[in-house]
Every structure is written in structure tokens, then in C-alpha cells.
Amino acid sequence: MMRKNDLKKLSKEQELKKLAILSERELMMELRTSMNGLTKEDAAERLEEFGPNVVSAQKPLPALLLFLKAFNDPFVFVLVLLMVVSFATKDIEAAVVMGGMILASVIITFIQEYRSQKASQELKELIENTTAVTRDGVTKEIPMDEVVPGDIITLATGDMIPADAVLIWTKDLFVNQSSLTGESMPVEKFVEAKVDVKREGISALDMQDLIFMGTDVLSGQGKAIILKTGQNTFFGDIAETATGKRGKTSFDIGLTKISKLLLRMVAVLFPIVFLINGWTKGNWGDAFFFAIAVAVGLTPEMLPMIVTSNLAKGALSLSKHKVIVKELASMQNLGSMDVLCTDKTGTITEDKVVLVQHLDPLGNSNNQVLDLTFLNSHYQTGWKNLMDIAVLNYYEEEKRQLPYDSIVKVDEIPFDFSRRRLTVVVKADDHQLMITKGAVEEMEDICDFVEINGEKQPLTTELKKQLRQLNVQMNQQGMRVITVAIKRDVHTEAVYSVEDEKSMTLVGFMGFLDPAKASAATAIQSLQEHGVAVKVLTGDNDIVAKKVCKDVGIPVENIVLGTEVDALSNEELAEVVDSCNLFAKLNPMQKARIIENLQAKGHTVGFMGDGINDAPALRKADVGISVDTAADITKEASSIILLEKSLNVLEAGVLEGRKVFSNMMKYIKITISSNFGNVFSILVASAFLPFLPMLSIQLLVQNLIYDMTQLTIPWDSVDEEELLKPVKWQINGLVKFTLCIGPVSSIFDILTFIMMWNVFGANTVAEQGIFQAGWFMVGLVSQTLVVQIVRTKKIPFLQSIASPQVLLSSLVGIILGFVIIINPVLNEIFEFDILPTKYWLIFPLIILAYLITVELAKRLYIRITKEWL
């Protein structure tokens, strides 16, 4: 028997193909088994050697680990660093404030992800599956996870296939492999491999004698020998990729870049502030604490909480649209998504085969062809495939009546793979009709005549050419085509055989289609209008897929097949992925590779699918989207689960993701630019003032009040124009914005310094409380109100107004600032002095002038950079 070490020498697929061509005797010897199955002892040994027949699956994280995982955030790391330094320097107030912000952010993240994980787990089917295994000559049901290589299994209609196996006996065995291949049509399986395994492009999935874990029996019976179990199966490869850790998404990369930017700014400004204050004031201890406060002031300490609140609010909003957000970061990735890759079946199609045409040899609609096909589908006793069901449904819906007074079934020649056709004989009124339907090529071989306008004519070479052209035209319209032929009064008894399937008369063609969803075209058009390119990645037929793409408005100029993907290097594939919108006949790993190449070109990629074969692509994508009816392994690989399989729902998710990102960037850009301006002002003041421009506790309180006003940012309205294009992390844009808008606040800070120094005489250490109170109010109110200017590229209040929540929180923040300055008790606690009455007359003029100047600076910035938030 081939041991695990031997298996590693060949790829899993090569090993399967090698075993598939062995005779039954050779298989029995290779796997050390017999028709009586393994002994109980052998089975136990092999279970110990190969392990349980299970694949990698992502178990739900315990609540404690999920809580600890919430700390894994770049912004949290920055705050933890500053909090530790504050504790070490006994700046308890700053440490407590930052600790509270960290805890609030972590709790929000934990609650949302715990709820999402719980909802995802509840979607799983908690059923233990069994399979019929022969051991010691006795066949009985055992749990699937106890199956081992060498086991003999018995299969029947409806059975799940427990592991990769090779067939040793079949009877009309049809298997559904769509979960692995994406092909909607079932596959008939046989004992012999009917393809050349050495032929280039032949996959193990193409072998007619191999069956695979993750597929199921649609009809018929069979016996098979288990070849591979658990992680060594074809399905195991997919599961391993699907449940691995998702790579860094665009959201993760963006957060990391901003965190690094903040750390660099802190690293540069902290020593400068410390040295200037220590040198000019002579008190190095106070200078150090003040530098710490400046570092905290520069860092948007509410950012983790604001980001998490934004994402959670978006996830809550999507839940009302029947969408479960498993990973919060996927909300922002939805907003950034500029390429959506989707499977075809069930996503942009109805996931069912319907009859669309019944044509005579000239291509005209013909009811006789329809009636004959109905008789064949209705009276055949084997497995009724999707096309049979489509014909029967069509008759029922149309309430069509057959043109015969009496119909009696006479005989039947079942379908088999070598003939690829099925014959039914009925006695209709006074004639026996031998009706055969099947694959176009095989049917042409048995037809010598053709019926045109009721007349039987010889099937000449010229007519064959015309019929082939008609078949090609139907294929180009995305149809699966079968040929229908007839032979009258061959026998008087039920003695029909395959030998009678000759010299038949071709009467026409039947065309079937998995039609595009009525809603798909409008949803795709809307996604395209919002800057999202839609690409189809399918395991299905390229001609059919091209027709579906045309129906839903996806332009297809060229098609890339799975075999071509394998032949291309990464560099060559990267050149193709942007221009091609349809990739067909793909296996699971090829889908993942295409997505990886799209990401390498700077795209944020979403993938939508529900088959097991989609799991690796879902894990590789920035946003993996599946549905609640998908396989467990597929849902585990996803970051978003749709309770309704619709692109319209996805469009709502994209827009919600863009709102989340826009509001997040409002806080980041406004806060960092404003804080940068404040730090610059402090540097100027420190160089010339004989005292600190603001005490560390005063600076922390000012930041805390401002940050509290920003907690409502997730509920802010977003201008329609901001939702038209995918949103991206632009670190260079953030730096430009900070350098343009930040200095404006510094100019007015310096004007405030001059006013406090000269107009109000706050120019000595004894009068520093007045100076600090005056700058505290200007800084707090200007920073709070500037949000109304900067939150939109339009004219604030006139063309765009903030949400009621944002307006109310800004008002509360300003009132709180006034209370601290005016209330004698609070004034004394924070070491402020009472401001003179004259100050309050000049104060609104400074604020108004500042807001007007920022609006002008915004207009100039937009004109120069052609961008805003």
C-alpha cells in the first residue's frame, strides 16, 4: 500500500490519476484490501496512520481569544505605547484617558465580531453524516470521519461521497460535481477511465471513474475503493486554502500606513517640544510632561473607537438588508472595492435550466419537436436530468396538450455515456414512435434522414453543414443544445435495442438556458456606474458564460480559459486580468490566482460565490462574499454572508462601505491636521513665552472634549458625489491635507497669542492662567466648528449640512468648554483664570475669520489637488 511518505512524492492530482487507470485487481493489491473490505483491525491501524477523515475547518474563537484579538489594531498599539510612557512618568490623567479610549474601542470590536461569529455558526447544519462501508464482509453505516483508505463503500441516490475514491462497479451513476467544478450539469460515472490521462489539460475531475469528497450522488448506484481521506483529498486542498489566515487587505495596509505616519510625527515632534521647553523654561520635568501631552494631543486617541464605531454602525445598517458582516474591516474594503469577481451560477443567473427554443432543422419554432421531446422525457424511467425537468415544467406552465388520442409506453433504451443519448418507444394512436434525444455530435452519427416541413429527406453533406451552423448559432446564444430524432414502426413488440438506433430521421433541436436574473443587469450597471468593474470567474462553459455576460451588460471582448491561466506567468497574467472580464473553465486555485494578480495591480478585489470551489478565491479576496445556503467551508472563508443571493444587496453594501470610509477619513484628516496645527503653534509659543502656552492637563481636557464631539461622526451624512467612486487610503493626500489646512489654525493661534499678550496683558507667569484660558477657548471652539467646513467639499450649511447628531454633539462640546472657563470651581481645578469681558467681544470675530479662511483654503486645495476627503 502507498504510505503517506510515498504520496508526497507525487502531487495529489497526479496520484489520483495514476490510481484511476489501474485494474480492479491492481487496485486491491495497491491498497491491500478486498471485496470483503478491510478487517476491523486494519481499519483501526489506518485510522491511526492517516487520521480522521476531516479537513481543515475554522473553529469559532473562544470569547476570551476574540476579546484579545480586538487589541490587534495598529492605532491601539500607538495608544498603548503612549499610555505606558504616561504611567512611567506618573502622568496618571493622560494614562487613564488613553486607557479608557483603548478599552472602549476593544469592547465595541469584540461585541460586533462576537455577534457576527455567533450568527455565522447558527447558519451551519449540525448534522452527522454517515456512509455505507463494507468491513469483514458486512456492509453498515459508519460516521464519515471514520472512513480510511482501502475501505469499500456502497453508494446510492442522495449519498454524500465521503472521500476521494475510484469506482469498481456502477449502475446509471450520476454525480453532482458542481461544488468543485462550477458545472451545473451532472456527470455520469463509470468503472473505466474514458479519457487519456496523459493528454495535456486533463484534470482528475475529468476522470469518469473517480469520485470526490464534497460531491454527491444524484441517481444510480455504485461501489468504490477509498483512495484518499481528510486533508489529502482534492477537497482538502481547497479547505486548507479556504481556512487559512486571510492576507493583508487594503484596510489593514491603510491602517498600518497611517499608524506609521503618526509614529513618525510623534518621533520628530516630541524631542523638539521637549528640548525647546526645557531650554527656554529651565524646568526639564515640566517640559517632559508637556511634551508627552503634546504627543497625546497629536495622536487622534479616539481613532480606534471612531473607526470601530463606523464599521459597527455600517455592519448594523447592512444587517437590516439581510447581510451578516463577519469581519468588521470588510465594511471599509467594500467601500474601496473597485473590482468585483463573481461566479456565474446563481449569482447573475437563476441557477436553473429552462427550455427557451424548440426548432426544426431550418431554425423555425416547431411544436412537433417539443411534443416528441416531452414524450421522451416523461416516459423515460431513469434519472431525469435538468433538461428533462425543464421540458416537463414548460409543458405544465404552458398547459399544452399532446396531439394524440392515446399513448402507451412500449420500450426504453437507457442513457449511457458512450452513446450520449436516450431512446423511448411509445405507441401513439396507431403508430409506434421510437424517439431518441441526445448530444448533437452523437445524434448526427445515427441520422440518415431529416424532416423538413413534414417531408422526409436524405441528410446530405450540405444539410449537415447547415444543421451544424444552426447548432453553433444556438451555442453562441448561450444555449445547451440536444438533437431530437424519430423512427416509426420499427417493431411491433418491445424488442428494441441499441442496434435500432440507426437510419433515424432528425426532426429538430431543443435549446436550454440558465437565464440571467432579471435584477442582475440593473445591479451590475449600478455597480459599474459607481466605479466597480464586474468580472466573471466560472468553472462553466465559456460560450454559455459569454452569453450570460452579454445579457447582464458585462462587456466581453476576449475569454481566458483555465488551461490558459496555467500557461501564463504571473507577469503575463497581470497584463491580462485588467482587460478580460470573463474567465471560464477555472479550477479553484486558478480563481484565487487571478484575484491575487488583480490585487498586485493595486485593485481592491471582492469575490462573490457559494460553491466549495469558490472557497480559496473567497479567502484570497479583500472582501469574500457568500450566501447562507453555501457550504460550511465557503461561509468560513467569507467575510460577508448574504441572507439573500442578490447583487442589489451587494450594491447597498458598497455604498454603505463608502459612507463608513468617508466618515472615518473625516475624523482622521480633520483631527490630524488640526492637531498638527496646534503642535506647530505650541512650538512657536514655547520659543517666546516665559511659561507653558497650556498645561498638560488643560491640553488633555481640550482634546477629550473635542474627541467626544467626534463620536457622532459615524452617523454623519455623506454627499452623494463622494459615493460615486471607490475610496482608497491616500497617505500622500493625508500629508498634503495636513500641511495645507493645519497651518491655518496655527496662524489664528498665533494671532490669539498676540492678542492675549498685548491686548489683555497676559505676558507674565502670574497672568498665564488668563493666557491659557483664552487659547483654550479659541482652540476648542475653532477645532469643533471647523468640522462643519472640512466635512464636505461643498459650501457648508448652504449646500451640505451635517447630520443632527453631529450638530448636537458640536454644540454640547462648545457649551462644555464655556462651562469649564466660566464656572469658578472648574476654572480653579484646571488652573484657569477668569477672562475679561472684552475678550468675549473679540472671540467670535476670531472664530468667524478662522472659519472663512479655512473655507478659502479648502477651495484652493481642491482646485490644486482635484481631491478632498
Side-chain angles (χ1 to χ4, degrees), residues 113-375:
E113 297 208 349
Y114 180 79
R115 285 176 177 172
S116 298
Q117 179 176 274
K118 186 178 178 183
S120 177
Q121 287 299 117
E122 287 172 354
L123 291 172
K124 293 186 176 182
E125 295 178 0
L126 302 175
I127 301 172
E128 182 183 57
N129 295 305
T130 61
T131 191
V133 173
T134 302
R135 289 180 181 171
D136 292 318
V138 178
T139 302
K140 63 178 182 179
E141 294 283 331
I142 69 169
M144 282 189 182
D145 59 2
E146 295 179 12
V147 170
V148 296
D151 267 331
I152 306 294
I153 61 169
T154 301
L155 299 169
T157 301
D159 284 349
M160 291 178 63
I161 294 170
D164 293 354
V166 61
L167 291 161
I168 55 176
W169 174 80
T170 64
K171 182 180 179 182
D172 299 328
L173 182 66
F174 285 85
V175 173
N176 173 24
Q177 292 187 170
S178 63
S179 61
L180 291 177
T181 65
E183 285 278 9
S184 56
M185 300 302 293
V187 178
E188 187 172 13
K189 295 291 183 175
F190 303 91
V191 173
E192 291 87 18
K194 297 184 183 295
V195 295
D196 181 1
V197 294
K198 295 181 180 178
R199 202 172 85 215
E200 190 175 344
I202 292 297
S203 163
L205 293 168
D206 297 320
M207 308 287 287
Q208 278 92 50
D209 61 340
L210 289 178
I211 52 178
F212 303 92
M213 175 190 276
T215 64
D216 57 276
V217 178
L218 286 175
S219 69
Q221 298 172 300
K223 286 183 181 289
I225 304 176
I226 298 296
L227 302 178
K228 294 183 178 181
T229 58
Q231 208 58 44
N232 288 320
T233 61
F234 204 88
F235 176 78
D237 275 342
I238 299 173
E240 188 174 19
T241 307
T243 56
K245 185 178 179 181
R246 190 183 300 278
K248 281 189 175 295
T249 66
S250 64
F251 178 77
D252 303 320
I253 294 169
L255 281 183
T256 301
K257 286 181 178 178
I258 288 183
S259 298
K260 287 180 178 178
L261 175 65
L262 288 173
L263 287 173
R264 284 197 296 268
M265 292 173 70
V266 169
V268 170
L269 293 173
F270 174 82
I272 294 175
V273 173
F274 172 62
L275 291 173
I276 290 177
N277 277 284
W279 182 60
T280 56
K281 313 300 182 297
N283 189 329
W284 291 96
D286 285 349
F288 182 80
F289 286 125
F290 185 70
I292 288 288
V294 168
V296 173
L298 181 63
T299 306
E301 59 267 23
M302 293 286 281
L303 186 54
M305 192 167 167
I306 294 290
V307 169
T308 306
S309 298
N310 260 297
L311 297 174
K313 186 258 180 185
L316 182 63
S317 176
L318 281 187
S319 69
K320 297 173 184 176
H321 294 278
K322 299 182 180 179
V323 178
I324 294 174
V325 179
K326 283 178 59 185
E327 299 171 9
L328 278 181
S330 61
M331 279 302 309
Q332 188 276 319
N333 288 328
L334 262 181
S336 296
M337 182 176 72
D338 59 348
V339 175
L340 171 65
C341 298
T342 177
D343 188 25
K344 172 182 70 68
T345 306
T347 305
I348 56 178
T349 68
E350 296 286 357
D351 197 12
K352 65 179 181 181
V353 173
V354 295
L355 173 63
V356 289
Q357 287 190 347
H358 39 94
L359 308 178
D360 66 15
L362 298 179
N364 302 314
S365 183
N366 186 289
N367 286 332
Q368 178 187 308
V369 179
L370 175 62
D371 293 337
L372 293 173
T373 307
F374 173 79
L375 289 172

Side-chain angles (χ1 to χ4, degrees), residues 81 107 148 496:
L81 176 64
I107 289 173
V148 296
Y496 287 82

Side-chain angles (χ1 to χ4, degrees), residues 28-63:
M28 294 291 183
M29 293 177 63
E30 181 74 28
L31 295 164
R32 290 189 294 117
T33 189
S34 69
M35 288 305 294
N36 286 328
L38 300 172
T39 65
K40 183 178 179 181
E41 292 74 19
D42 277 344
E45 286 180 11
R46 295 186 189 191
L47 187 61
E48 180 70 24
E49 179 182 0
F50 290 94
N53 180 35
V54 294
V55 297
S56 296
Q58 204 174 40
K59 296 179 181 178
L61 282 175

Side-chain angles (χ1 to χ4, degrees), residues 58 119-125 242 246 326-327 609-612 615 618-619 624-643:
Q58 204 174 40
S120 177
Q121 287 299 117
E122 287 172 354
L123 291 172
K124 293 186 176 182
E125 295 178 0
R246 190 183 300 278
K326 283 178 59 185
E327 299 171 9
D610 62 351
I612 295 170
L618 288 163
R619 177 61 61 183
I625 307 154
S626 69
V627 293
D628 66 320
T629 54
D632 287 349
I633 198 73
T634 308
K635 288 185 286 191
E636 285 168 1
S638 306
S639 48
I640 287 179
I641 298 175
L642 307 181
L643 301 183

